Amino acid sequence: MSKNSGLMSENLKLEIAKELGVYDQVTADGGWANVSSKTCGNIITKAIEIANRKVEQ
């Protein structure tokens, strides 16, 4: 496990997965292990966008 694990809450990851339409894949496959790296990258990109919006407010 990397030293950076847990920087993003599970709830936030799941909310973003719902927004991106991959929530069913995450829950059906039993977790994040079967989610593609491209999809994970999209989730990270979305999280950064959310964080930037909160900083600007």
Side-chain angles (χ1 to χ4, degrees):
M1 184 177 285
S2 78
K3 66 180 179 177
N4 291 329
S5 66
L7 292 178
M8 190 183 335
S9 74
E10 189 67 21
N11 287 338
L12 178 58
K13 288 190 278 188
L14 291 175
E15 287 300 317
I16 295 171
K18 287 177 188 176
E19 263 187 63
L20 297 177
V22 296
Y23 179 78
D24 291 336
Q25 178 186 0
V26 172
T27 56
D29 292 340
W32 295 98
N34 295 320
V35 177
S36 72
S37 59
K38 180 178 180 180
T39 300
C40 289
N42 290 339
I43 289 171
I44 297 300
T45 301
K46 188 69 172 177
I48 291 169
E49 288 173 10
I50 292 168
N52 284 336
R53 275 184 275 170
K54 288 187 178 192
V55 168
E56 291 173 356
Q57 291 178 350

